[in-house]
Amino acid sequence: MNQNVIQIRWHGRGGQGAITAAKIIANTAFVSGYTGVVMAPTFGTERRGAPVLTSLKISREKIYDLSPITEPDIVVVLDHLLVEEANVASGLKPGGLMIINTPRTPADYPFPGIIVATADVTTIAAQVGLPAGIVNTGIIGAFARATGLLDIEDLARGIEVEFTGKKPKRNAKSAKVTYDQTIIGGQ
Amino acid sequence: MHIIESGNVAAAHGVKLARAQVIAAYPITPQTPLTEKLSEFVEAGEMKAQYIPVESEHSALSVCIAASSTGARAFTATSANGLLYMVEQLHWAAGARLPIVMCVVNRGIGAPWTVWNDHQDAMSQRDAGWIQIYCADHQQIIDTVIQAYYLAETVSIPVMVCYDGYILSHTYMPFELTDPEKIDAFLPPYKPAYALDPANPANLNTVTLPDIRPDIRGQMAPGYMEIRHDLHVDLRRAIDVTADIDKKFSVAFGRGGNPFLEPYRCDDAEFVAVCLGSLSYHLRDVVDALRKEGIAVGVAGVRLYRPFPDQAVINLLVGRKAAIVFEKALSYGNQGALYGDIKAALYPCADRPLVHNYILGLGGREIQTAHLLDSLRTSCRTPDAIGDKPVWLGLKM
C-alpha cells in the first residue's frame, strides 16, 4: 500500500537458498541507504524441493507493514520450471519485472505488460566451479543487472561475507558473470 | 551497530546482553530458533550461562524456578501449547515472586493444531500474575528483554515478553545491537534480597493457612490472602516502575518513550485503533491511507498489558468518538479480552468513547490490509452502527 516500498517476491524450491539470496540483498540494500528492509519467508510449511516463497521489501524509510506481498514490483524465479508450476506472475504490477533463471530468453516468456529478464544461472554457476544447483548467488547478479537498484560490487562483497568458508570467491564470481550475461526483454 | 536478523535472534541477543545465567527451554515452533541461538552462544563461549536441556516445558520453567530461587538470572521461552504445558509452574513462579523472564513467541493454540500466529496463548495466561509486555518490531524485542530483567528484579515478579510468531520471529529486519558495556551500565547484576543456599536451608512456599499465624520465630506471618494481596499491589506498582525504567533506558539509548501505549497520529484523532503486537505497526499504513481520505484516525499499540495501564488508556481514549480494538484472541463465549479491559477502564469516565471490537488473524489467517482499511473506515464513518459485540474479520465460510 505504501508506494515508497519496493516489493520483491522470490520463487524457489525448498533448499535452493532463496532466503539466503534475499538476505544478502537485504543486507546490501541496508548498507546502501535503504533503512527499511524486511525479509519474510513463507511460514511453516517449507519442504525440500517444494515450491517456496520469500518476501523482500525495501524502502528508504522504516517499513511497518509486514504482511505478505500480494502485488509485487519484482518477481525472482530461481527455477524456470516454476513458471508453469507456480503462479509466479500472480499480482505482479503492470510494468513490473520478472527475473528468471532459465536457459531460454525473454521472448519465450510473453507475459503481457511485464518486463522479463533471463539468465542461465545454472550453467554459469557450473562454469565458475560451483557444485551443481547452486543458483542463489548467481541470481543476485541477474537481480542487480535487471533492477539497477544495487551495485554489483557491493552485492559481490555481501556474497563473500555470507559465504565465508563456503567458496566465497566462486559464489561472488557467479553473480558477476551472471550480471554480464543477463538478457533484459522488451515489454 | 545494526544487524539484519530474525526476531528470534533479536530476542537471543537481548538474553545474551542481559547476561542470563541459566537457560532452560524445550523447542517448539516458532520459538525454536531462539533457543537454538542461545545454545550456540553458550556452546561457543560467547555467553557464560548454563544451558539446561529439558524434556518438557513444565521442566523448563521448573529449572528456571530453582535457578531463580538461588539468585541466578534465569530465562526460558515457549509458544502456544508449550506455554500451556508449563501453566502450573507459571502460576507458581509468580506466587513465589521469582524474577524470571520468558519470551512467548505468540502462536495459536490447538485443537486443531496450528503453528501460526495469534495471541491466545499469552492471553490465556493474563491472570497468572506475570507481567506481560508486547513487542511490535525487533528493536522492541531486544530492548524489552533487557528492560524486562530490570523490571522483574525490581518488583520480584516474572515477565513475559510477547512477540508475534513468524510475523516477527521469522522475519528479518534491521535492529541496533547495543554495546554490552552500555547494557552492563544500565542493568546491574541480579542481587536478590533472599537466595536459597545449601548452607542456610529453608522451606519456601509451604502450605499457607487461610488465616495469619505466628511463625517459628513467634512473629505474625501473612496468610495466603496477604501474600496474594502483596502480589497484586506490587503488580500495580510495576506500572510506575515500568515508566521509570523506560525513562532511564531512553536517556541511555535514545529509544523508548511509550512504555504503556505507543501512539501514532493520535494527537488530533477522533478515532483510535488499539491492538497488541506487530499489528499496531501494520495499522500505521492503514491510518496513513485513511488520513488521506480525511478521516481523523490514529492507532496505539498496547505495550504493557499486565498490569493493565488503566490511566494511560483513559488519558489516550477519553474524549475520542470511538476506540476500535483489533484482537488476535478472545475470551471465548464473551468478547475480546483487551476490548473488555479497555471498556472497563473507560467505564467511570463521563466522556468515554464508543468501543468497537474486531477479531482477526486467528491461527495465522492472513490479515489483509484491505480488511483493516474497510473495517476501520466503517468504524469511523458509521461509529453508531457497529454495536457492542465482536465482529469477525476475514471469515471465508
Side-chain angles (χ1 to χ4, degrees):
Chain A
M1 195 169 65
N2 187 329
Q3 299 302 316
N4 300 321
V5 178
I6 302 164
Q7 306 195 70
I8 307 154
R9 190 174 65 210
W10 297 70
H11 293 264
R13 296 188 183 279
Q16 229 180 355
I19 290 173
T20 304
K23 204 175 138 191
I24 291 164
I25 289 176
N27 277 306
T28 307
F30 185 73
V31 298
S32 304
Y34 290 92
T35 50
V37 172
V38 168
M39 200 274 283
T42 351
F43 302 138
T45 52
E46 299 86 346
R47 299 180 315 282
R48 193 161 282 269
V52 292
L53 290 180
T54 297
S55 294
L56 173 64
K57 301 180 187 180
I58 60 178
S59 170
R60 297 281 177 189
E61 296 159 359
K62 182 174 168 68
I63 294 169
Y64 289 102
D65 177 357
L66 306 182
S67 64
I69 293 174
T70 50
E71 293 181 354
D73 301 284
I74 302 164
V75 166
V76 185
V77 185
L78 274 75
D79 176 349
H80 64 97
L81 295 176
L82 289 169
V83 174
E84 284 87 40
E85 198 176 322
N87 188 7
V88 293
S90 170
L92 186 57
K93 285 178 189 161
L97 174 64
M98 188 184 297
I99 302 161
I100 312 171
N101 167 25
T102 176
R104 298 199 273 173
T105 64
D108 295 320
Y109 300 97
F111 289 104
I114 288 169
I115 302 165
V116 174
T118 63
D120 190 358
V121 181
T122 307
T123 302
I124 294 166
Q127 284 167 355
V128 301
L130 287 174
I134 304 295
V135 295
N136 62 338
T137 42
I139 198 76
I140 290 172
F143 175 89
R145 179 69 178 275
T147 66
L149 282 171
L150 298 168
D151 186 78
I152 182 66
E153 295 300 330
D154 293 341
L155 287 162
R157 271 192 296 279
I159 290 169
E160 290 189 26
V161 170
E162 182 70 28
F163 281 80
T164 304
K166 293 179 284 185
K167 300 186 171 63
K169 295 283 181 202
R170 286 180 192 180
N171 275 295
K173 191 174 177 192
S174 177
K176 287 186 192 179
V177 174
T178 305
Y179 180 88
D180 291 334
Q181 297 188 14
T182 298
I183 307 163
I184 301 169
Q187 267 178 281
Chain B
M1 182 188 72
H2 276 82
I3 62 168
I4 297 177
E5 262 298 350
S6 69
N8 278 327
V9 170
H13 278 290
V15 177
K16 182 182 168 192
L17 286 166
R19 300 195 188 281
Q21 295 161 299
V22 174
I23 299 154
Y26 189 80
I28 182 169
T29 300
Q31 158 263 36
T32 307
L34 160 56
T35 53
E36 286 175 343
K37 194 72 194 171
L38 286 170
S39 75
E40 281 173 31
F41 285 154
V42 174
E43 175 69 16
E46 291 178 46
M47 235 185 127
K48 287 194 181 62
Q50 289 282 322
Y51 188 99
I52 302 175
V54 287
E55 84 294 353
S56 75
E57 286 85 0
H58 188 280
S59 298
L61 192 50
S62 300
V63 166
C64 289
I65 286 170
S68 187
S69 300
T70 68
R73 195 170 270 170
F75 178 80
T76 188
T78 191
S79 298
N81 291 55
L83 180 68
L84 302 188
Y85 195 27
M86 62 168 64
V87 165
E88 184 218 8
Q89 298 298 304
L90 200 74
H91 289 249
W92 191 273
R97 306 298 301 270
L98 297 169
I100 297 161
V101 171
M102 167 163 63
C103 283
V104 177
V105 188
N106 296 117
R107 158 181 159 178
I109 289 171
W113 279 120
T114 174
V115 297
W116 294 276
N117 169 247
D118 67 37
H119 292 153
Q120 198 68 40
D121 52 1
M123 196 55 68
S124 79
Q125 299 309 312
R126 66 166 191 174
D127 298 334
W130 284 56
I131 293 164
Q132 280 195 9
I133 305 173
Y134 286 77
C135 304
D137 67 6
H138 293 15
Q139 195 67 58
Q140 287 187 357
I141 293 172
I142 184 169
D143 291 350
T144 304
V145 167
I146 293 159
Q147 293 175 68
Y149 278 104
Y150 202 135
L151 176 60
E153 290 163 11
T154 304
V155 295
S156 296
I157 295 171
V159 178
M160 280 183 213
V161 178
C162 305
Y163 58 91
D164 289 309
Y166 289 119
I167 297 169
L168 291 180
S169 70
H170 283 60
T171 294
Y172 289 67
M173 66 171 83
F175 56 91
E176 167 84 19
L177 204 54
T178 307
D179 293 339
E181 300 74 34
K182 288 183 183 162
I183 300 295
D184 289 343
F186 170 79
L187 177 67
Y190 176 37
K191 289 206 181 70
Y194 173 82
L196 195 57
D197 180 355
N200 185 19
N203 277 330
L204 299 178
N205 302 302
T206 52
V207 173
T208 302
L209 298 178
D211 210 349
I212 61 171
R213 67 194 166 103
D215 66 12
I216 53 167
R217 292 178 294 274
Q219 293 164 340
M220 288 307 283
Y224 182 89
M225 200 153 160
E226 285 73 27
I227 290 169
R228 285 280 156 173
H229 180 250
D230 283 349
L231 173 60
H232 177 71
V233 168
D234 286 340
L235 267 165
R236 296 304 298 175
R237 184 167 71 87
I239 295 175
D240 289 339
V241 175
T242 301
D244 292 343
I245 292 170
D246 172 75
K247 200 170 284 175
K248 198 176 167 207
F249 192 89
S250 299
V251 169
F253 304 108
R255 297 190 295 271
N258 297 295
F260 307 135
L261 295 116
E262 191 180 21
Y264 176 72
R265 301 189 82 165
C266 285
D267 286 352
D268 64 338
E270 295 175 317
F271 305 92
V272 175
V274 186
C275 63
L276 295 163
S278 63
L279 180 59
S280 70
Y281 278 8
H282 191 173
L283 278 162
R284 288 185 177 200
D285 278 6
V286 175
V287 160
D288 286 345
L290 291 175
R291 283 270 176 178
K292 284 183 190 148
E293 297 178 17
I295 298 172
V297 60
V299 59
V302 176
R303 305 264 359 255
L304 181 67
Y305 180 56
R306 279 294 179 276
F308 194 63
D310 315 60
Q311 194 56 52
V313 169
I314 289 168
N315 294 347
L316 179 76
L317 297 179
V318 165
R320 316 282 184 181
K321 286 186 181 163
I324 302 98
V325 183
F326 290 88
E327 284 190 80
K328 299 184 193 176
L330 76 161
S331 177
Y332 279 93
N334 189 22
Q335 59 193 5
L338 177 62
Y339 174 59
D341 290 330
I342 284 174
K343 283 197 297 183
L346 294 172
Y347 183 75
C349 306
D351 197 13
R352 61 180 181 254
L354 293 165
V355 189
H356 302 159
N357 193 198
Y358 292 101
I359 306 297
L360 75 175
L362 300 190
R365 171 60 57 86
E366 186 182 332
I367 296 175
Q368 295 184 355
T369 304
H371 280 149
L372 295 174
L373 203 56
D374 288 347
S375 53
L376 193 51
R377 186 191 290 115
T378 304
S379 271
C380 297
R381 288 261 162 84
T382 55
D384 294 317
I386 306 297
D388 180 24
K389 62 175 186 197
V391 178
W392 289 60
L393 281 186
L395 283 178
K396 293 186 178 177
M397 289 175 74

